[in-house]
Amino acid sequence: MNLQGIQLTWLGHATFRVQTPEGKTLYIDPWIAGNPMCPESEKNVKKADALLCTHGHGDHIGDAVEVGKKCNPVAVGIYELCLWLQKKGVQQIAPMNKGGTQTVAGVKITMVHAVHSCGIQDGDQIIYGGEACGYVLEFSNGVKLYHAGDTNVFSDMAIIRDLYAPKIVMLPIGDHFTMSPREAAYACKLLQPETVIPMHFGTFPQLTGTPGELQKLAPNVKVLEMKPGKTIS
Ligand code: NI
Ligand code: MN
């Protein structure tokens, strides 16, 4: 796998830090301080040009407000979630919805479907957060990544393949709250990526799926098991 100048770092769970070929820093699903998988060395975020949020659950936006206020990134998310972030003090928002594409920090960001819930826990309230989504990112060097967010497998993943053909996909495999390895293997059949990076597993005892199980069920795709804090480039 050649990322041609992109650096991709997994911070555990669904959280990734991405450095673009132009040196911009993106965080996908910024859950950092409370993320038990996130290495200590990553906990003090110093630079963020964009935050991409797939949905409003705490294990995906746990640090969006903190990082948003501290580093002044552009927060990308579904409409209702962005408005909530703005209300909490995030200055720059770039709301969008499924099927749309916008360029932020030099990256073409397409919001795609996901099948999952999306309430935002705000104190003792659950606020409507729009819908859960995934993202296809197209970088200036032509590399395309798909981060599925939290989802089960769904047949419209075939549309994501037909329209965007991402070669590298990040799929949840933990089971219980998202796809299991069995469903993720079916997702690989629909998406036909070259490389799949498993995520959203092992963080809590319920998230029992493993990369090894996925590799066994999807022998034709390369399952790239990252370690939290590890960077690939
Ligand atoms: Ni979730
Ligand atoms: Mn989750």
Side-chain angles (χ1 to χ4, degrees), residues 55 57 59-60 116-117 150 200:
H55 65 293
H57 288 158
D59 58 320
H60 297 259
H116 192 69
S117 64
D150 280 4
H200 214 280

Side-chain angles (χ1 to χ4, degrees), residues 21 33 73 82-83 85-86 92 99 109 146 156-157 174-175 199 206:
C82 275
L83 291 195
L85 291 171
Q86 187 181 48
Q92 300 197 76
I109 300 171
Y146 167 46
D156 288 357
M157 284 178 171
D175 206 336
M199 62 176 181
Q206 306 103 307

Side-chain angles (χ1 to χ4, degrees), residues 29-34 53 55-67:
D29 280 348
W31 183 42
I32 296 160
C53 302
H55 65 293
H57 288 158
D59 58 320
H60 297 259
I61 61 159
D63 292 79
V65 171
E66 285 290 304
V67 174

Side-chain angles (χ1 to χ4, degrees), residues 143-207:
V143 170
K144 284 182 239 170
L145 304 179
Y146 167 46
H147 185 294
D150 280 4
T151 187
N152 60 344
V153 69
F154 54 94
S155 55
D156 288 357
M157 284 178 171
I159 298 179
I160 296 173
R161 178 202 64 216
D162 286 347
L163 291 180
Y164 309 109
K167 291 274 174 278
I168 303 160
V169 304
M170 292 102 116
L171 297 179
I173 64 160
D175 206 336
H176 199 90
F177 293 112
T178 69
M179 288 194 266
S180 61
R182 186 179 176 205
E183 290 209 359
Y186 197 94
C188 290
K189 198 167 109 179
L190 297 173
L191 291 162
Q192 296 176 14
E194 283 171 5
T195 304
V196 53
I197 299 171
M199 62 176 181
H200 214 280
F201 67 94
T203 325
F204 319 116
Q206 306 103 307
L207 307 190

